[in-house]
Amino acid sequence: MSENTTEDRSTEIPPNFVEERVAADRAAGRNAGRVQTRFPPEPNGYLHIGHAKSICLNFGLAQTFQGKCNLRFDDTNPETEEVEFVESIQADVRWLGFQWDGAVRYASDYFQQLHDFAVTMIKAGDAYVDGRTTEEIRATRGDFHTVGTPSADRSRSVAENLDLFARMKAGEFADGTYVLRAKGDLASADMKMRDPLMYRIRHAHHHRTGDAWCIYPIYDWAHGQSDFIEEITHSICTLEFVNHRPLYHWFLDKVGAAPLPDGGASAPAASYARPEQIEFARLQLTYTVLSKRRLQELVEKKFVAGWDDPRMPTLAGLRRRGYPAAAIRAFCERIGVATRDAIVDVSLLEFAVREALNATAPRSLAVLDPVKVVLENFEEAVTFDAPFGPDLPGVDSEAAKITRKLRLTKEIFIEREDFMEVPEKKFFRLAPGQEVRLRWACIIKATRVEKDETGKITTIYATWDPDSVGGQPKDGRKIKGTIHWVSAEDAIDAEVRLYDRLFQAENPMGDKENWLASVNPNSLQVVTAKLEPSLAARAVGECVQFERIGYFTVDKDSAPGRPVFNRTIALKDSWSPKK
RNA sequence: UCCGGCGUCGUCUAAUGGCUAGGACAGAGGAUUUUGAUUCCUCUUAUCGGGGUUCGAGUCCCUGCGCUGGAACCA
């Protein structure tokens, strides 16, 4: 992590409530002052920016308190999980700038131990095998107003439960015939405590354990116990798990975790080791959908080209779009962590991206919608050095002084919208009889235009001021406007993909049934642009600024002689919105 | 409707019973500028309602309202 400009700001951001809780726990001597967190994705999709918030929180906590953070795949559902996702998730976490402690962990590493814990629970009379169907179980669980009713299975003997569970594990039964349930409280107002399921039978191939198991633990049984096994101290999750917390602790008690201290009144024993679940609000962004299911739907229904389509809010998509990891980290820090549902304005993310790119991206000249300009009084081509920059106020950087050769030729291209035959007021660019500066090159003045039969301008004729090479007229006259340009002779062609937001609705999920209706039909526009030659040397993933237009990055679809650039984000524009 | 969580500028967030409710983004205005970018300056805007406790309440209590999660062999 070398991007200090953005990261130094973290010192201005006050600690969030999770950090305060962790600090308080350490002060109270819990877990002997250790901090051990974990990021626990299920490998059933790509990570998105919502996960980035969790990653920054968990790994950030470990950094702040000299602790450790595990990467643990919550792979307890073999039917939806794949190796592809296991790999992409690791790549994304690393790209974000974090390294987990030790080896990658898997909940499936603990299948045997989880099984043994379950056997212990059966022996203690805390779990039983239920042979009823999903429908029957659901019906007898009761609802918000009525308590559940026990079935005969609930009073099975320990020996019989042990036998049945062993046969479940041995593969004697078909999917769905039996489940192992904890003996909770069927009258609890907390539905989670009404005899929660611990195991179901699934004769499915697991991406890691293969066919070794046909019983798989359910989240509530697997997650907290995995935390316990890994000696996690703070198990951070999102708000929808608040309802699970009593069960989380109930199971921990059953497997022998140190008892909760008495409200913190007395200092816990030195051996005290018990994870604590802390919930925070998941990230929601305007004009964005952040749910794996929905993102998968966008991919499957071909609204985008894949999980890493630059319009996707996946980390893979944002990376390909050109969003720097440092910008995402800075964003995650600034939005804070709290327990209230919030929808963050996407402009906050965009600000972080522009901020990071403005400080780092080399500048270059590119014309997206070219129109030819012929310099009538121009004879010999002029070659000169132009700095890549960026030229930042208050920053004297040697790297910014690196230059490339630029050549001014008789024929150039400029942006079509930088010329107006009849200029409106405050149009500081090229117009007949009006002077404008060509960035780094010289001052020109338009004389006349040529049009085709439709009235479209095909060529602009102009004269140049030979006493203005470099862009500064010798007589010192003020030139208000500066526009970008490329030499018609030297320019290279490139495919440029102009991305816009994927959704037109601020809250695409506002209409849950028709959320796909708010997909922006113009979220991708492809143009053939004219670029200055130096841009041909940029490598895939490099970020540059096309001056006066925006930030762009080289896409992996680039081919020799045919670069492809993705627009990461446009520059702020305080001019055109007024039109 | 039963149980739980949550309500502070347009948005996100700070305040830990005590300065004029602070910051960032967004928005508006201005200065500088060889990018109408950047940078700099200025400004607008908030404690869900009603009671109570207190010298003092965004913060504590009661109550109402609103939003949100929960009755998967998903996580």
Side-chain angles (χ1 to χ4, degrees), chain A residues 140-159:
Chain A
T140 53
R141 185 149 35 209
D143 58 26
F144 296 139
H145 308 283
T146 50
V147 301
T149 51
S151 76
D153 288 2
R154 200 174 198 259
S155 49
R156 241 191 257 281
S157 72
V158 167

Side-chain angles (χ1 to χ4, degrees), chain A residues 438-459:
Chain A
L438 297 181
R439 178 72 157 163
W440 305 124
C442 66
I443 308 301
I444 64 170
K445 181 197 285 187
T447 51
R448 63 193 170 89
V449 300
E450 256 172 26
K451 300 176 180 177
D452 64 14
E453 58 282 359
T454 66
K456 187 181 176 187
I457 294 171
T458 52
T459 307

